[in-house]
Amino acid sequence: MRIFIIDDDKNLTDMLTSALLKDGHEVRSAMESSSALGLMESSDWDVVLLDIKLRGEDGFNVLRKIRVTHPEFIILMMTAFGKIDQAVESMKLGAFDFLEKPFSLSFLRIKLGKIQSHLSLKMQNGILRQELENKKWRLVGHHPRIQEVREQIAKYAKFDSPVLILGESGTGKEVAARLIVNQSSRRDEPFIVVNCGAIPEHLMESMFFGHEKGSFTGAHALQKGKFELANGGTIFLDEIGELPLNLQSKLLRIIESGEFERIGGTRNLKTQVRILSATNRNLEHLVRKGTFRADLYYRLHVLVIEMPALRERIEDIPILVEYLLQQLSVELHRTLVAEKNLLPSLQRLEWPGNIRELKNILERLAVMSEDGVIREKDFFLAQWKKPSLELMEEKKNIDFKKEIEEREKNMILNALDKAKGNHTMAARFLGMKRTTLQYHLKKMDLKKGKNLFKG
């Protein structure tokens, strides 16, 4: 480990430095807080051994400063015999542990061993989080259409040509884009996502190309645009069919020459980016209507991927359900499984919202389930007299998502009412963790308005 010692007792510092170096650690020391804080800037440290009593400055103040500038450092406080209250105070301020002077080297090694275990676990958790993040961007399924998309992604990732990803909403167009990047030579460079349908038209040019300070009211500082920020990497233009005509010509220029100007700027800037784009609209139809430039369409339409709708690969639903429930188990802190007879029912639906709709409904059902099992009877809602697909045909006017959302809301409200607003007790009534309940309360606040629930 890399250990930094801050103590104004030179004899102790020299003894600790010598012993820790023999143990194979990298060690540095300082006797004053000012020099110590300066030396810390030159390198990263795993552990800081910090004495509470220093000449010139209280060790607590040094601790506070380190927690602000280097919150990742593990701080082990050293305190004089009988000053346990000081040690407790240091722990409250963010110290990892403390040593009561005088201490033996064997005792210090025990403490450092615990810290090493802590660091190893922290690293493993970081790796696990990265693995979970990577798993979010997977194309799940065995259907030949998905196999074809995987092959196209592997092939197109080797080149820098533009890729146009077509498909209905919820089919996984962004997943395909991220997989192209992850398999390309630009994987470690910037990846910028721009949703062209979510940006107000009057802000689009500034968002794309940036602006100079003072170029318009409110432009208080120079702002780099998305293309400048993506330099050397990849930009993904989602919902490209929503791009207004006046920006299409500027996008064409940047594709062909890599040149652009910030709003209010007087000089050409250059950027080198790979462009991926996606749309659920028929661009050829937009070209015929005159709302999308033909020359831009042909520049984007070099390599094409067509994402299949879920109804076209219905046999992939069982593996998709298993995969999505694994994700939701992590997000909701619950173990979730699907009842076997649920799967055939799911395979007989149309799924106009595709995989996104499937995940949203599974999440609602996961909240409704008291034991983590997603059942067919819950899927078709208890208040429906006939839990069958025929009933869904008879009642086409039913808003299925709204029905489930309302039932979820009513269950939570009833539990809160029964628990008199106590979240812990309400969560117990619902058979879930308190954190899971609060997660869904927060989501409902965002959907229904602030301060819907208290407690």
Side-chain angles (χ1 to χ4, degrees):
M1 290 189 294
R2 311 188 72 188
I3 302 172
F4 199 105
I5 303 170
I6 308 175
D7 196 316
D8 54 13
D9 184 338
K10 188 175 187 307
N11 292 332
L12 176 62
T13 299
D14 290 344
M15 183 270 290
L16 289 176
T17 299
S18 176
L20 293 172
L21 285 171
K22 287 180 181 177
D23 289 346
H25 300 291
E26 181 179 338
V27 186
R28 195 160 188 177
S29 64
M31 299 180 65
E32 295 179 354
S33 61
S34 57
S35 57
L37 293 170
L39 289 169
M40 280 184 185
E41 296 300 325
S42 63
S43 188
D44 292 327
W45 301 93
D46 298 312
V47 182
V48 177
L49 293 176
L50 172 61
D51 192 20
I52 288 179
K53 189 70 174 176
L54 295 170
R55 284 198 302 265
E57 185 169 13
D58 191 294
F60 290 125
N61 290 333
V62 179
L63 171 60
R64 291 187 185 95
K65 290 177 181 177
I66 296 173
R67 296 304 300 158
V68 170
T69 57
H70 299 285
E72 72 280 9
F73 289 1
I74 292 178
I75 302 172
L76 197 58
M77 301 299 289
M78 298 182 289
T79 183
F81 175 74
K83 299 290 185 179
I84 298 298
D85 56 334
Q86 290 185 338
V88 171
E89 180 63 25
S90 68
M91 301 276 283
K92 290 179 181 178
L93 293 174
F96 181 83
D97 206 340
F98 66 91
L99 292 160
E100 189 176 13
K101 291 181 178 180
F103 53 83
S104 65
L105 285 172
S106 60
F107 186 64
L108 172 61
R109 290 183 179 114
I110 290 172
K111 294 286 188 182
L112 293 176
K114 290 181 179 179
I115 291 173
Q116 183 66 67
S117 298
H118 171 78
L119 290 171
S120 297
L121 181 60
K122 190 175 178 182
M123 181 177 293
Q124 290 170 13
N125 286 340
I127 293 171
L128 178 61
R129 279 194 297 273
Q130 186 59 50
E131 289 176 350
L132 290 172
E133 181 66 21
N134 291 339
K135 285 180 180 179
K136 283 174 59 178
W137 310 112
R138 286 179 53 201
L139 285 176
V140 176
H142 303 303
H143 190 276
R145 290 284 305 279
I146 281 297
Q147 301 276 26
E148 181 185 357
V149 170
R150 288 197 194 98
E151 291 170 5
Q152 288 177 313
I153 286 171
K155 186 182 297 183
Y156 297 168
K158 300 173 184 177
F159 305 96
D160 283 340
S161 304
V163 180
L164 177 62
I165 306 170
L166 305 174
E168 297 176 8
S169 293
T171 52
K173 296 188 291 295
E174 184 177 347
V175 173
R178 288 182 180 273
L179 289 174
I180 290 171
V181 174
N182 290 346
Q183 296 178 38
S184 75
S185 60
R186 297 174 184 251
R187 68 179 67 88
D188 297 322
E189 302 301 327
F191 177 64
I192 304 293
V193 178
V194 182
N195 187 334
C196 301
I199 306 170
E201 187 172 337
H202 66 283
L203 296 178
M204 273 193 176
E205 186 173 0
S206 175
M207 182 75 71
F208 273 41
F209 308 115
H211 59 256
E212 300 286 347
K213 179 180 179 180
S215 55
F216 54 83
T217 302
H220 302 301
L222 181 148
Q223 180 69 51
K224 292 183 178 181
K226 298 295 187 181
F227 277 91
E228 193 169 353
L229 294 172
N231 187 31
T234 308
I235 192 163
F236 175 51
L237 303 176
D238 199 6
E239 297 189 35
I240 188 70
E242 309 299 325
L243 197 67
L245 271 171
N246 66 313
L247 274 182
Q248 291 178 25
S249 59
K250 295 183 178 181
L251 177 58
L252 181 64
R253 178 191 176 200
I254 207 168
I255 292 174
E256 292 181 336
S257 67
E259 296 182 348
F260 68 98
E261 293 177 5
R262 298 192 195 111
I263 296 176
T266 57
R267 59 193 178 94
N268 280 344
L269 301 174
K270 291 190 73 71
T271 187
Q272 199 279 317
V273 297
R274 185 183 192 181
I275 295 179
L276 309 178
S277 55
T279 183
N280 58 8
R281 304 186 66 182
N282 186 326
L283 292 186
E284 290 186 11
H285 177 65
L286 297 182
V287 169
R288 288 194 295 269
K289 282 179 60 178
T291 58
F292 201 88
R293 292 179 61 115
D295 47 5
L296 176 59
Y297 170 68
Y298 294 126
R299 290 297 286 126
L300 296 173
H301 196 274
V302 178
L303 302 175
V304 180
I305 294 175
E306 294 190 26
M307 302 299 296
L310 185 53
R311 64 183 172 275
E312 297 171 357
R313 55 184 189 109
I314 216 74
E315 57 265 50
D316 279 340
I317 281 185
I319 190 172
L320 278 166
V321 168
E322 180 182 2
Y323 168 72
L324 293 171
L325 288 180
Q326 286 176 356
Q327 280 192 332
L328 289 168
S329 294
V330 175
E331 294 172 12
L332 303 180
H333 311 292
R334 305 185 72 189
T335 299
L336 301 170
V337 294
E339 192 179 53
K340 284 187 178 179
N341 61 353
L342 171 66
L343 299 175
S345 299
L346 297 181
Q347 288 178 294
R348 294 202 297 270
L349 299 179
E350 285 295 314
W351 298 110
N354 295 292
I355 299 170
R356 185 182 295 123
E357 180 185 9
L358 176 61
K359 181 177 180 181
N360 289 344
I361 288 179
L362 288 174
E363 183 173 354
R364 293 191 185 99
L365 293 173
V367 172
M368 291 163 56
S369 171
E370 295 185 0
D371 58 2
V373 179
I374 312 301
R375 295 181 172 85
E376 185 182 30
K377 65 181 179 65
D378 294 324
F379 178 72
F380 291 114
L381 301 178
Q383 62 264 41
W384 290 3
K385 294 181 181 178
K386 292 193 297 179
S388 65
L389 290 167
E390 288 76 12
L391 179 63
M392 294 182 70
E393 282 297 317
E394 293 169 13
K395 297 190 176 183
K396 288 184 178 178
N397 60 324
I398 289 177
D399 186 332
F400 182 62
K401 294 182 183 179
K402 186 175 180 181
E403 290 278 355
I404 294 179
E405 190 174 26
E406 283 299 312
R407 185 179 180 199
E408 173 190 337
K409 176 184 173 184
N410 289 335
M411 288 177 66
I412 291 176
L413 284 172
N414 288 337
L416 285 167
D417 183 62
K418 186 177 178 181
K420 297 182 180 179
N422 185 293
H423 286 190
T424 301
M425 191 175 296
R428 194 174 298 131
F429 291 150
L430 292 166
M432 62 176 67
K433 293 182 180 179
R434 185 174 185 271
T435 52
T436 304
L437 172 62
Q438 290 178 326
Y439 166 83
H440 289 286
L441 288 177
K442 183 178 179 182
K443 282 187 65 178
M444 294 174 75
D445 284 348
L446 293 173
K447 289 180 180 179
K448 305 295 182 184
K450 294 181 179 179
N451 302 320
L452 181 62
F453 299 100
K454 299 283 188 182

